[in-house]
Amino acid sequence: MNISGIAIAVVLATFPSAIPIWLAALGETVDQASGVLDLGVEGIMLMGAIAAFVVDYFYHSALIAFIVAGLVGLAFSAVHAFISITLNGDQVVSGTALWFIGWGLSGVIYAAYFGLAITPPSVPTIGSINIPVLTSLPIVGKVLFGESPLFYISILITIALWSIMFRTQFGLNLRSVGENPLVAEVMGVSPVIYRYVSVLFGGFMAGLAGAYLTVGLTGSFYFDMTAGMGFIAVALVYFGKWNPWRVSVGAVIFGLVYALSAELESIYTSVPYQFFSMWPYIATLLIILAVGKSAHAPDALTMPYVRE
Amino acid sequence: MNYIKGIQIVFFIIIGLLVSSLSFLMFHISPLNGLASLIDSGFGSSIALLETLKVTTPLLIMAVGLSVPFTAKFWNIGGQGQLIIGEIAATATGLALSPYLPPPLVITASMGAAFVGGAAWAMPPTIMKIKFGANEIITTLMMNFVAVYLLDYLLIGPMEGSQAKLVHAPASNPIPASDMLPKLVSTVGLSAGIIIALALAGLFYFILNYTNFGYELRVIGESRNAAKYAGIKADRRILESMAISGGIAGIAGMVLVFGTTQILIPQFFSDISTAYGYVGIPVALIASLNPLAIIASSFFLAGILNGAYIMEALYSVPIDVVITIYGTIMLFSMIGVIGDVFKALRRWIK
């Protein structure tokens, strides 16, 4: 394959690889901006993935599959919200517990419906939306105007979130809750309500991200198929400095890393595949290193708000 | 107060167990029957108890190691990677030295190599945290994936065993039987590793509760600011605690190879049965990071893991159920740790 062929293959695979991390990271951005760290994303994504897969398999509706996955994510994050906001529990422990529950339960649900079959059943993936005329543009046409619906949804959510977080009173309140909940409360902004809304939104987005993995991308469910994507999404929030735009850029960079390592793996078969497979994880470490100390987290991140 | 808290935690653990047993319903097994069968398979006979002790060994070592940085609220999620590197270092050292040295020296050298390997693997995330404030949960976890692929590569590359090459199943050469840890009960293969595990638990109970080091870790965990005003070198203590934690995780890996498996095989992230680094997290947390309580919690969770194997064979309930159970127990034990849970609830309702 020539260089331009490789480049086109990589570019075409970039957005599909980016979308799950992108959606999850956008949700986590809001989560963290309000001062709650949700490490359960990985588990919630897995729950979204299995929920969407089961719904689509039995009811043949991708739309309902996505909605159900989002709601399952929301329900899961409600547990995290209750423990970390209402009970003032440790957010790290609670998030880790949710990660474990989602990790195990997704596999259990899969086995309950489909047994421990060797060949996994599959559902048709949702395909892509081709915007007429624009799709036929050279090079960028297919990449920008022939993507999965979730690509356009991700962009819309990015714009919406940025506008809400940085251009509305609601967004200002939300961020003030993440920086200093005591001051926010004195100003008449309820940290509890803002944090609940943020965590539930984050869960919903993680559920969608998981649904995209099964119904949108692969058409199948595999045990622990996220393989760390949820945590990479959390890392991207740091990279994006709690700004939806920067988070989106990070997600696309990651899509590129995934696409590139998959493509190179298929070209350089003489190099052991493990060295390509470990790339996204090393890239995450490098990205965190690159952000360095410049990432200023919301002051009250992971701090429970205890009213005196 | 401590006892009351202990009872409260145990109470919530039982609730967690009951809640998670609802997942048996998906397999048309009544939750209580499923739970009874799980516990019976893990603890119900002397063979089951010995098998459970075998699983307890690496789990106990791992959780004791994790409890050290956890005390300072430094979340080392990278136990699995550190364990894998420990396994690699121990196996390579053992195989290299075996022809030249007597078994006690081979075992000692392998254990030392495992400690150094695990500690070294824990260093990049720790330094990234200290120098750049990078979230250690993410960085330690990423190191796990790198370790998984590194092991996978070594077993089809430089460390591939001659027998494994013939059958095309990635594995290392076996550790010579004479260099294995001595067996306490040869029928089920329970090794002397359990003694190492118990000794480590005792040692770290002392260190965390009765030394300056342990006290300083607790102050750091309570409040970074308080530690600063008390003149505690927090960064230095964190670095030490992570070197210890990674090193002990490495020893857990060494004990796994030299006590049980004898060969090194790939460990994929999705394979829960070898994921001691992850399972160690709930073991340490539900014991409130107290090494003596960890002895009990590791035995308890090892029994559940052991029982889950049998559940998989009997009722095709996948082994994943065990991770759900751990997660739920962790969640509820945490509610037990939050001392004033009822107060918090009342305030919420009001």
Side-chain angles (χ1 to χ4, degrees):
Chain A
M1 208 194 279
N2 58 14
I3 287 291
S4 69
I6 296 169
I8 289 172
V10 168
V11 171
L12 281 178
T14 293
F15 286 129
S17 315
I19 289 169
I21 317 175
W22 191 353
L23 289 169
L26 285 176
E28 181 77 14
T29 304
V30 179
D31 239 338
Q32 293 196 12
S34 80
V36 182
L37 174 69
D38 189 352
L39 288 172
V41 191
E42 177 93 358
I44 297 174
M45 279 177 78
L46 283 165
M47 287 308 296
I50 188 64
F53 182 75
V54 169
V55 169
D56 200 25
Y57 188 85
F58 290 106
Y59 300 101
H60 314 291
S61 165
L63 181 64
I64 297 177
F66 271 99
I67 293 171
V68 170
L71 293 177
V72 166
L74 190 139
F76 252 66
S77 62
V79 177
H80 182 62
F82 179 70
I83 290 189
S84 52
I85 304 168
T86 302
L87 296 184
N88 298 324
D90 192 309
Q91 295 173 10
V92 171
V93 181
S94 163
T96 309
L98 275 190
W99 163 36
F100 273 54
I101 294 174
W103 176 6
L105 196 55
S106 58
V108 169
I109 292 173
Y110 178 82
Y113 278 110
F114 306 103
L116 301 164
I118 308 285
T119 32
S122 64
V123 294
T125 55
I126 51 175
S128 50
I129 293 178
N130 286 312
I131 297 176
V133 188
L134 292 175
T135 318
S136 52
L137 287 173
I139 308 173
V140 293
K142 193 82 192 74
V143 175
L144 289 180
F145 303 108
E147 285 292 341
S148 161
L150 270 292
F151 170 74
Y152 307 108
I153 291 175
S154 303
I155 290 184
L156 287 179
I157 294 177
T158 306
I159 297 171
L161 276 186
W162 180 81
S163 315
I164 292 172
M165 282 175 72
F166 295 100
R167 287 290 178 274
T168 67
Q169 185 63 39
F170 182 89
L172 185 64
N173 292 350
L174 180 87
R175 286 181 295 130
S176 73
V177 164
E179 292 290 346
N180 194 331
L182 183 64
V183 169
E185 173 123 60
V186 171
M187 303 296 284
V189 176
S190 162
V192 173
I193 290 174
Y194 275 85
R195 285 186 169 183
Y196 259 94
V197 169
S198 306
V199 174
L200 293 179
F201 175 75
F204 186 84
M205 292 295 285
L208 287 189
Y212 176 77
L213 280 178
T214 49
V215 177
L217 192 61
T218 62
S220 295
F221 177 85
Y222 305 95
F223 286 81
D224 199 40
M225 70 189 300
T226 47
M229 279 181 192
F231 288 95
I232 293 177
V234 178
L236 281 185
V237 178
Y238 286 79
F239 172 78
K241 297 178 182 167
W242 299 270
N243 179 328
W245 276 118
R246 286 188 55 118
V247 168
S248 302
V249 170
V252 174
I253 293 175
F254 253 84
L256 194 64
V257 170
Y258 272 106
L260 199 60
S261 65
E263 186 63 22
L264 292 179
E265 184 181 323
S266 67
I267 297 172
Y268 297 104
T269 43
S270 59
V271 179
Y273 77 94
Q274 292 92 344
F275 289 103
F276 297 111
S277 304
M278 62 170 73
W279 243 102
Y281 309 109
I282 295 176
T284 309
L285 290 169
L286 293 179
I287 265 193
I288 294 176
L289 205 59
V291 181
K293 276 199 161 147
S294 68
H296 171 74
D299 276 341
L301 186 60
T302 77
M303 300 288 173
Y305 173 58
V306 188
R307 200 169 13 179
E308 297 307 329
Chain B
M1 185 57 209
N2 251 335
Y3 289 100
I4 295 169
K5 199 161 214 176
I7 290 165
Q8 193 178 349
I9 292 170
V10 170
F11 173 72
F12 277 100
I13 286 173
I14 292 169
I15 295 182
L17 206 52
L18 290 173
V19 169
S20 54
S21 71
L22 291 176
S23 54
F24 290 124
L25 280 174
M26 282 187 276
F27 298 85
H28 311 289
I29 303 166
S30 100
L32 286 181
N33 280 347
L35 208 53
S37 168
L38 185 76
I39 287 170
D40 187 49
S41 311
F43 304 101
S45 65
S46 57
I47 297 282
L49 283 174
L50 287 169
E51 286 287 346
T52 293
L53 275 179
K54 213 164 92 184
V55 180
T56 305
T57 308
L59 209 48
L60 173 54
I61 299 176
M62 173 60 72
V64 166
L66 292 179
S67 69
V68 181
F70 280 10
T71 301
K73 284 222 161 63
F74 188 93
W75 304 107
N76 177 17
I77 309 296
Q80 186 66 12
Q82 293 144 20
L83 175 141
I84 289 174
I85 301 301
E87 284 185 323
I88 294 172
T91 309
T93 309
L95 289 174
L97 296 181
S98 176
Y100 310 109
L101 295 175
L105 286 181
V106 173
I107 289 176
T108 314
S110 303
M111 197 177 281
F115 187 93
V116 172
W121 202 250
M123 283 304 104
T126 315
I127 292 167
M128 282 171 72
K129 170 79 172 197
I130 292 170
K131 292 272 179 227
F132 306 106
N135 184 322
E136 76 276 13
I137 299 167
I138 297 161
T139 54
T140 51
L141 188 87
M142 293 298 132
M143 295 294 284
N144 288 350
F145 288 97
V146 179
V148 164
Y149 286 116
L150 184 65
L151 172 65
D152 198 33
Y153 158 69
L154 288 174
L155 293 178
I156 57 161
M159 288 181 81
E160 185 176 33
S162 46
Q163 187 64 32
K165 210 173 212 154
L166 291 177
V167 295
H168 294 292
S172 71
N173 277 321
I175 303 291
S178 57
D179 291 322
M180 294 283 283
L181 289 167
K183 296 271 184 282
L184 298 183
V185 185
S186 53
T187 44
V188 294
L190 178 67
S191 79
I194 188 73
I195 296 172
I196 298 173
L198 290 170
L200 281 172
L203 176 67
F204 278 92
Y205 177 77
F206 175 78
I207 289 177
L208 289 181
N209 287 293
Y210 298 103
T211 66
N212 214 24
F213 177 67
Y215 167 75
E216 293 189 356
L217 287 185
R218 271 202 306 282
V219 176
I220 296 167
E222 286 295 321
S223 155
R224 272 300 183 95
N225 280 335
K228 201 162 75 184
Y229 295 130
I232 293 170
K233 294 192 182 78
D235 287 348
R236 206 191 156 122
R237 293 292 163 269
I238 295 277
L239 196 72
E240 289 161 354
S241 75
M242 275 300 281
I244 292 171
S245 186
I248 293 180
I251 289 181
M254 180 271 175
V255 165
L256 204 54
V257 175
F258 283 67
T260 313
T261 61
Q262 205 167 2
I263 53 165
L264 200 49
I265 48 166
Q267 300 189 349
F268 290 103
F269 189 60
S270 53
D271 186 2
I272 286 150
S273 56
T274 51
Y276 293 101
Y278 296 107
V279 179
I281 300 167
V283 170
L285 288 175
I286 69 172
S288 296
L289 311 179
N290 176 337
L292 291 185
I294 288 175
I295 297 176
S297 67
S298 62
F299 182 67
F300 174 58
L301 293 198
I304 291 176
L305 182 60
N306 210 3
Y309 287 124
I310 295 166
M311 294 290 282
E312 185 171 70
L314 288 182
Y315 309 107
S316 341
V317 178
I319 191 83
D320 302 65
V321 78
V322 96
I323 286 288
T324 311
I325 296 175
Y326 291 162
T328 317
I329 291 178
M330 196 169 10
L331 206 63
F332 278 93
S333 77
M334 194 186 144
I335 296 175
V337 170
I338 305 166
D340 51 357
V341 49
F342 299 108
K343 215 192 290 172
L345 274 178
R346 265 202 303 277
R347 195 175 56 223
W348 189 60
I349 292 161
K350 207 163 53 183

